[in-house]
């Protein structure tokens, strides 16, 4: 019975009984079931894929800070070939990068903890946009959405353009840092990402913000009391400096 169950792991006691009969072992099905249980055998139940509960209707263009955040994962490798992941979070209105979390593995529980930290620092967004990755449709994330009362918009499968803000950000991150650096360790990658994030938010000119850096545009907007996207585009351009980017 153990030999058959080891080879045919999806067979229950009834099918195993049929194979045993073919081998010349005949017994009552009740006895077979009792022996099957006593030997600790069981067919592992496969859990059905959780279905996301977020919305899928077209997204309006954000008109203010904290109206919508976007999340996405990137991956890269260390010099020795081991892969690691990066969770990127941005504010779609200010274009500010709120987090770049790097680790060899990032679970749904980890994403929930990082979002709690971001909410404590920046405030709670009205909605969040992401793809349908297993981490973002996990029970931990569904519980986080319900607990924090944040609307979650899942883009259609295979349609990354529906998450265009973070996809554009990912392209800049990969082009300007990930494709330029060979990371020796996770600590090296985290240090480089922190520096790049600081430069992106405070120095690097953004074309959608009239040449201003996201954090500078946000602070200027707060002082002016404006909220329309055009207010961000009319802000003065900051002079770009690469100082502090060397690793």
């Amino acid at each position: 019975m153990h030999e058959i169950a080891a080879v045919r792991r999806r067979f229950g006691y009834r099918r195993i009984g049929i194979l045993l009969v073919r081998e010349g072992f005949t017994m009552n099905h009740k006895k077979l079931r009792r022996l099957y249980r006593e030997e600790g055998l069981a067919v592992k139940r496969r859990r059905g894929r959780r279905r996301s509960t977020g919305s899928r209707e077209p997204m309006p263009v954000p008109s203010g800070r904290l109206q919508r955040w976007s999340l996405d994962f990137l991956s890269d490798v260390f010099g020795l070939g081991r892969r690691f992941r990066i969770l990127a979070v941005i504010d779609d209105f200010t274009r500010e990068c709120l987090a770049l979390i790097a680790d060899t593995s990032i679970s749904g529980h980890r994403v929930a903890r990082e979002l709690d930290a971001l909410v404590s620092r920046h405030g709670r967004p009205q909605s969040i946009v992401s793809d349908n990755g297993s981490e973002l449709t996990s029970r931990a994330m569904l519980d986080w959405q319900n607990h924090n009362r944040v609307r979650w918009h899942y883009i259609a499968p295979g349609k990354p353009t529906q998450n265009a803000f973070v996809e554009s950000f990912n392209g800049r991150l990969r082009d300007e840092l990930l494709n330029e650096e060979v990371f020796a360790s996770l600590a090296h990658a985290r240090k480089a990402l922190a520096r790049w994030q600081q430069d992106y938010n405070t120095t690097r000119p953004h074309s959608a913000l009239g040449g201003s850096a996201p954090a500078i545009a946000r602070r200027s907007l707060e002082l002016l009391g404006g909220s329309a996207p055009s207010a961000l585009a009319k802000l003065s351009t900051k002079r770009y400096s690469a100082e502090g980017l060397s690793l």
Side-chain angles (χ1 to χ4, degrees):
M1 187 183 295
H2 275 285
E3 291 178 358
I4 295 174
V7 175
R8 301 184 181 275
R9 295 180 297 174
R10 305 306 300 172
F11 277 19
Y13 76 94
R14 295 183 185 275
R15 289 187 179 182
I16 289 178
I18 294 173
L19 296 181
L20 287 174
V21 170
R22 294 178 183 176
E23 296 290 335
F25 299 95
T26 304
M27 68 183 73
N28 181 277
H29 74 279
K30 294 182 180 179
K31 182 179 180 181
L32 176 65
R33 183 180 183 184
R34 176 173 58 81
L35 293 175
Y36 183 81
R37 288 185 172 181
E38 289 178 354
E39 294 299 317
L41 300 174
V43 178
K44 187 176 181 181
R45 182 174 297 179
R46 289 176 175 165
R47 301 175 64 182
R49 186 178 184 272
R50 295 188 184 94
R51 300 299 177 183
S52 58
T53 58
S55 63
R56 292 184 184 276
E57 63 270 9
M59 296 183 298
V61 177
S63 58
R65 178 175 171 268
L66 292 178
Q67 285 195 357
R68 189 173 70 216
W69 290 357
S70 292
L71 277 67
D72 199 16
F73 284 98
L74 300 91
S75 63
D76 205 79
V77 296
F78 300 126
L80 298 178
R82 186 182 182 187
R83 303 193 70 82
F84 68 96
R85 307 188 75 193
I86 303 168
L87 171 64
V89 185
I90 66 168
D91 186 300
D92 287 358
F93 178 69
T94 66
R95 310 299 203 276
E96 192 169 3
C97 176
L98 305 179
L100 286 175
I101 311 300
D103 214 328
T104 52
S105 177
I106 302 177
S107 65
H109 287 283
R110 175 70 181 280
V111 175
R113 292 199 304 271
E114 297 296 344
L115 287 177
D116 282 335
L118 290 177
V119 169
S120 66
R121 291 200 302 268
H122 301 281
R124 185 175 61 187
Q126 296 178 19
S127 64
I128 294 178
V129 186
S130 76
D131 59 21
N132 293 268
S134 58
E135 304 89 350
L136 303 177
T137 56
S138 65
R139 173 57 58 189
M141 290 310 306
L142 298 180
D143 290 343
W144 187 90
Q145 298 170 34
N146 295 330
H147 177 73
N148 289 274
R149 299 179 182 178
V150 173
R151 297 194 306 272
W152 202 287
H153 180 99
Y154 291 102
I155 65 174
K159 299 291 185 179
T161 54
Q162 294 182 4
N163 204 3
F165 288 95
V166 76
E167 289 293 341
S168 176
F169 172 84
N170 290 347
R172 292 178 172 87
L173 173 60
R174 188 167 296 282
D175 181 59
E176 298 175 13
L177 179 65
L178 302 185
N179 290 346
E180 296 296 315
E181 292 289 333
V182 177
F183 303 114
S185 64
L186 186 59
H188 179 197
R190 286 172 173 169
K191 186 177 181 180
L193 287 166
R195 288 180 174 176
W196 190 88
Q197 179 184 354
Q198 176 70 13
D199 178 78
Y200 177 87
N201 285 336
T202 61
T203 304
R204 184 188 181 281
H206 200 297
S207 59
L209 306 177
S212 291
I216 304 300
R218 172 179 54 79
R219 288 196 290 268
S220 299
L221 186 62
E222 291 170 351
L223 291 174
L224 293 173
S227 61
S230 59
L232 286 173
K234 294 177 182 178
L235 295 173
S236 59
T237 303
K238 291 286 293 182
R239 179 178 300 176
Y240 176 74
S241 172
E243 183 179 357
L245 282 179
S246 59
L247 302 176

